[in-house]
Amino acid sequence: MVGRIVAIDYGKKRVGVAVTDDLQIIANALTTVSSNDIFPFLRDYVSREKVAFFLVGKAKQLDNSDSESARFIEPFVRKLAQTFPEIPVERMDERFTSKMAFQTMIDAGLHKKARQNKALVDALSATILLQSYMESVDYKNKYAK
């Protein structure tokens, strides 16, 4: 058993969480939790599931500089690494994941009211981040068999 990848789309209010299956073949949205509850949630999850690594988005602007949200994501990443020192933390550019999530919801035929569900957007953003990472050269070079 390889272990799951847990992708985290961290925000000030909500955190979207997506995971792979144990063989790291499929990415699925797991949930959205309050930012205040993310560490208890992750402790519980890690106690029940084997986690290969965490994947956290890097908040970048178009010019590749850090975006405004990087100032609260970076402390989260440091605390994540301290809280779970045995689980590596990978990073990936998360630009456009929210826009892609929103477009995915439109393409899926979700009505306007459903598309306004920010928790759904956050979980879908984490899933897109995870799927993009699994398709990346970086992942294939490091982890794919």
Side-chain angles (χ1 to χ4, degrees), residues 23 35 47 56 58 60 87 102 105 120-121 130 141 144:
L23 298 176
S35 297
S47 74
V56 181
K58 281 191 216 175
K60 296 287 187 179
I87 302 174
F102 193 74
M105 290 167 46
L120 179 58
V121 173
L130 181 52
N141 287 340

Side-chain angles (χ1 to χ4, degrees), residues 6-51:
V6 176
I8 299 170
D9 182 38
Y10 187 81
K12 278 171 125 173
K13 295 179 183 176
R14 288 175 312 280
V15 181
V17 182
V19 297
T20 64
D21 57 296
D22 286 332
L23 298 176
Q24 300 179 6
I25 297 170
I26 300 171
N28 289 299
L30 181 62
T31 190
T32 302
V33 298
S34 160
S35 297
N36 296 332
D37 298 330
I38 189 60
F39 283 101
F41 173 83
L42 290 173
R43 279 187 200 97
D44 178 61
Y45 189 82
V46 166
S47 74
R48 293 181 285 108
E49 300 288 347
K50 180 174 173 29
V51 175

Side-chain angles (χ1 to χ4, degrees), residues 52-107:
F53 62 92
F54 294 111
L55 176 65
V56 181
K58 281 191 216 175
K60 296 287 187 179
Q61 296 191 46
L62 288 177
D63 67 0
N64 213 30
S65 63
D66 287 346
S67 77
E68 184 70 19
S69 55
R71 66 185 163 84
F72 56 86
I73 294 173
E74 296 312 313
F76 165 76
V77 171
R78 286 192 295 276
K79 184 175 178 183
L80 182 65
Q82 290 169 351
T83 304
F84 303 100
E86 70 286 358
I87 302 174
V89 178
E90 296 281 338
R91 303 295 304 277
M92 183 174 174
D93 187 340
E94 68 176 17
R95 278 179 286 194
F96 310 117
T97 56
S98 292
K99 286 186 171 98
M100 290 169 66
F102 193 74
Q103 186 60 48
T104 299
M105 290 167 46
I106 291 170
D107 293 347

